[in-house]
Amino acid sequence: LVSGRETVGPSNMEDAVSLEFQQQLLHISENLVTEDVAALKFLCTDLLSLRKLESVKSAIDIFTLLMAEEYLNAEDTFLVAELLYRIKCHFLLKILGYTQKEVQECLHEKGRVSLYRQMLYELSENITNEMVKNIMFLLQEQLPKRSTTHSALDLLILLEKQDLLTENNVQILEEVCMKVSPDLLRKINCYKKAKGEKFRTAVAKYFLLLLKDLGLLPSFCPTQMHKSRFMLLSSEQKGTGVNRVFHFNSRLDLNTCYLKFCYKMNGPQRGFCVVINNVEFSSSERKGSYKDAEELERVFTWLGLDVRTYTNQTSGEIRDLMQTWQHLEDHKDRNCFICCILSHGESGAIYGTDEKLVSIRTIMSHFTAKQCPQLAEKPKLFFIQACQGKKIQRPVYIDVDAQIPELSSMQQNISLSESIPEEADFLLGMATVDGYVSFRDVEQGTWYIQALCSKLQLLVPRGEDILSILTEVNEDVARRVSRTGTKKQMPQPAYTLRRKFIFPIPRDPPPS
């Protein structure tokens, strides 16, 4: 005793911390219902044996098992935070001192739930009880006669117990989803793609460690992600397989080599994104276009660009606007320039709201190295949502982005290659191929812009380059059909890019 009071030793402090931690776990457990406990059990299947999980009655039972296996302790509570995040019980994160954003940012490095388990759980959330019955019927010859399942999670566990479903074999899942609900295939396909990307990253990291052990890794390197990406790009570009990395020189500057294949996108200011949204025409209104403009602003702001939107611009105003942006001095401090135009159009041109044409080549030519030296050797991306043909199709809920000009019949078709400037560093993404219409839902927006925004949000966090993303956009739009089932659309990109264009991965989650 000191000064009449008892001293608190290290063991007492540890006991106090442990007690507080146990109280936190108890508080969390008391706020989880039966369905939440079942979800936690499923997400922990790769960490704990099924035999042990079968005896679980509450969340406290799961936490106890995790502590026994040393996955969880008072100093490291992240696994519980991850599990709560996965089952969307975000309101309980504050008990452990986490926010939803903090957990999301740490998942890449500290997450323990596998991609496979995540995919199955997300899939289960979209499988109804009726679907479970249908799947059980389809698989009745492959499952034990005594099998009874009450939920999608039960069904998935049963398939795993029968060795019909594994991390490396999801074929049976694909087959039943195709018959019961084809929309579910999207999650499975995303998993397969992410799994392949994870494997390639692991291979790249292995060779990085090998180079480091051999003393061949330079002292200066970009981020870990960029190092991995460089290794893969290097081998793919040379066409010699991953073993090409063994030819690296000990004096090699990896940053220089990375920049040889990718545009610089690590500046403090990413660039400007100009959106021209023409809605009101004298003879028509492009309903649904505001939805596109809003989505573009959300997504490109998320990607770090300074978005400026201009509505209902005449042909003269579009030309003046391009001249204004051409002479902007602030371009010199930015990495890129992006311009999105939503309007009616004809072959190789778009309409101002005064129903006069402005050629796409004229618009883009304002930003060549000679006309806009501040953007020299920097990527310039243009996305055009407008028809490129004169065929008029009028489905009930889908408009075509084409005008009906009185004198347009004299205009010649212009190939996409003629629209893009002859010099380097340009990309032109067109909603449709030359001569054809593009479609716009009057409530949801255009097929092309909605697909573009969706794929940017999905694939930028995976480190995909813009051409790979636009290929996915093509696939997405090509699969869509009008409500009548008779009208389709095919986007078309053209480019003179000299390097890969890869958006830095944003810290924040996608906006939608």
Side-chain angles (χ1 to χ4, degrees):
L1 294 176
V2 179
S3 302
R5 293 191 297 177
E6 186 179 15
T7 58
V8 179
S11 61
N12 299 99
M13 294 179 65
E14 291 173 4
D15 290 343
V17 171
S18 178
L19 179 60
E20 181 184 2
F21 174 53
Q22 291 170 1
Q23 290 173 336
Q24 290 172 338
L25 295 182
L26 181 61
H27 187 27
I28 290 170
S29 180
E30 290 172 344
N31 282 276
L32 296 175
V33 298
T34 303
E35 290 78 7
D36 298 328
V37 175
L40 292 179
K41 286 173 62 175
F42 184 80
L43 291 173
C44 290
T45 303
D46 298 329
L47 305 176
L48 302 169
S49 68
L50 286 174
R51 182 182 61 81
K52 291 181 178 178
L53 285 171
E54 283 177 353
S55 63
V56 165
K57 302 297 182 185
S58 67
I60 278 294
D61 294 337
I62 297 176
F63 299 151
T64 301
L65 291 172
L66 291 173
M67 287 190 286
E69 297 292 332
E70 298 185 350
Y71 287 117
L72 180 63
N73 56 60
E75 286 72 39
D76 185 4
T77 63
F78 186 77
L79 179 54
V80 176
E82 178 187 4
L83 293 172
L84 294 174
Y85 176 86
R86 299 284 183 205
I87 66 174
K88 298 181 175 59
C89 287
H90 303 140
F91 71 101
L92 295 175
L93 291 173
K94 61 184 178 182
I95 296 175
L96 297 173
Y98 286 99
T99 65
Q100 182 179 344
K101 184 177 180 181
E102 287 171 346
V103 175
Q104 190 169 33
E105 290 175 348
C106 294
L107 283 176
H108 180 71
E109 293 183 3
K110 301 177 68 175
R112 286 187 176 272
V113 180
S114 67
L115 288 174
Y116 168 67
R117 195 61 48 188
Q118 292 175 43
M119 179 273 292
L120 292 183
Y121 178 69
E122 290 173 8
L123 204 62
S124 73
E125 291 187 300
N126 292 279
I127 297 177
T128 64
N129 291 336
E130 187 65 28
M131 290 180 192
V132 171
K133 292 179 182 178
N134 292 338
I135 294 172
M136 290 292 292
F137 178 78
L138 292 171
L139 299 178
Q140 59 183 320
E141 297 300 323
Q142 296 166 268
L143 297 175
K145 301 299 181 184
R146 65 183 185 280
S147 300
T148 57
T149 59
H150 303 289
S151 68
L153 292 178
D154 292 337
L155 171 63
L156 294 172
I157 290 173
L158 179 60
L159 292 176
E160 289 185 296
K161 284 182 176 179
Q162 300 301 312
D163 204 29
L164 296 172
L165 177 62
T166 67
E167 183 178 9
N168 298 313
N169 182 12
V170 295
Q171 182 178 349
I172 195 167
L173 211 52
E174 293 177 291
E175 291 173 356
V176 295
C177 286
M178 176 62 76
K179 295 174 183 177
V180 173
S181 179
D183 288 345
L184 297 175
L185 288 173
R186 292 184 181 181
K187 291 189 180 296
I188 301 174
N189 291 334
C190 286
Y191 159 71
K192 290 168 69 175
K193 188 165 185 177
K195 187 172 183 292
E197 182 69 24
K198 186 176 181 180
F199 171 77
R200 290 191 292 272
T201 301
V203 170
K205 287 182 177 179
Y206 166 78
F207 282 109
L208 280 171
L209 292 173
L210 182 60
L211 287 171
K212 185 175 181 181
D213 290 341
L214 295 172
L216 299 179
L217 193 64
S219 58
F220 175 79
C221 289
T223 65
Q224 186 68 35
M225 178 181 298
H226 287 177
K227 287 189 288 185
S228 300
R229 185 182 289 147
F230 169 74
M231 291 294 186
L232 296 171
L233 288 177
S234 174
S235 60
E236 291 168 2
Q237 294 275 349
K238 299 295 183 182
T240 58
V242 177
N243 63 352
R244 180 70 183 178
V245 296
F246 285 113
H247 298 283
F248 286 166
N249 187 308
S250 60
R251 292 175 294 178
L252 180 66
D253 184 338
L254 200 55
N255 188 54
T256 300
C257 291
Y258 170 72
L259 291 177
K260 181 179 179 181
F261 295 112
C262 300
Y263 285 104
K264 178 183 177 182
M265 289 292 289
N266 60 352
Q269 295 175 304
R270 195 81 65 236
F272 291 103
C273 174
V274 174
V275 178
I276 297 176
N277 181 27
N278 282 351
V279 180
E280 305 289 342
F281 291 78
S282 60
S283 58
S284 66
E285 178 183 350
R286 297 183 60 255
K287 294 180 180 179
S289 192
Y290 282 115
K291 177 81 171 179
D292 284 346
E294 291 169 2
E295 195 69 11
L296 286 169
E297 183 171 354
R298 277 198 297 268
V299 171
F300 282 115
T301 299
W302 170 66
L303 291 172
L305 285 100
D306 186 352
V307 181
R308 308 292 175 86
T309 301
Y310 301 86
T311 305
N312 295 329
Q313 301 290 294
T314 65
S315 58
E317 287 171 336
I318 291 173
R319 292 188 180 93
D320 292 342
L321 195 60
M322 293 301 103
Q323 287 186 359
T324 298
W325 283 98
Q326 168 189 335
H327 297 294
L328 190 72
E329 287 294 327
D330 287 352
H331 286 313
K332 68 178 183 297
D333 299 322
R334 287 164 169 78
N335 298 138
C336 67
F337 175 72
I338 296 176
C339 180
C340 307
I341 301 179
L342 318 173
S343 189
H344 288 308
E346 289 291 332
S347 179
I350 57 97
Y351 279 101
T353 53
D354 56 354
E355 301 186 2
K356 294 181 180 178
L357 287 168
V358 182
S359 79
I360 295 170
R361 184 181 183 87
T362 297
I363 291 171
M364 298 178 69
S365 295
H366 284 282
F367 302 96
T368 61
K370 182 177 180 180
Q371 297 297 326
C372 184
Q374 296 89 349
L375 286 173
E377 298 187 357
K378 297 178 182 180
K380 296 158 279 277
L381 282 57
F382 291 77
F383 298 102
I384 309 294
Q385 168 53 52
C387 282
Q388 291 297 287
K390 303 169 186 164
K391 296 179 181 178
I392 305 301
Q393 302 177 15
R394 298 185 185 278
V396 176
Y397 290 105
I398 296 177
D399 291 348
V400 292
D401 267 341
Q403 273 290 74
I404 317 174
E406 296 178 1
L407 302 175
S408 65
S409 59
M410 299 299 293
Q411 184 184 339
Q412 294 181 329
N413 281 2
I414 300 174
S415 70
L416 193 61
S417 60
E418 292 176 23
S419 293
I420 191 168
E422 295 174 355
E423 67 171 64
D425 307 312
F426 279 91
L427 179 142
L428 173 60
M430 298 294 297
T432 184
V433 294
D434 188 54
Y436 288 84
V437 298
S438 60
F439 295 107
R440 169 171 36 83
D441 187 290
V442 297
E443 293 181 353
Q444 299 302 319
T446 58
W447 293 0
Y448 178 65
I449 295 299
Q450 292 303 313
L452 174 65
C453 292
S454 173
K455 294 303 180 182
L456 284 170
Q457 293 178 84
L458 176 67
L459 300 176
V460 166
R462 298 181 187 175
E464 296 280 5
D465 71 284
I466 191 64
L467 296 183
S468 297
I469 292 172
L470 289 180
T471 301
E472 292 283 337
V473 171
N474 280 8
E475 195 271 343
D476 185 310
V477 175
R479 288 177 60 182
R480 303 188 186 205
V481 292
S482 65
R483 293 176 185 259
T484 60
T486 59
K487 303 176 181 67
K488 294 180 73 69
Q489 180 179 330
M490 188 69 230
Q492 183 181 12
Y495 62 93
T496 58
L497 298 178
R498 296 173 294 116
R499 304 185 180 113
K500 285 185 177 288
F501 180 92
I502 302 173
F503 283 106
I505 297 175
R507 294 179 60 86
D508 295 328
S512 60

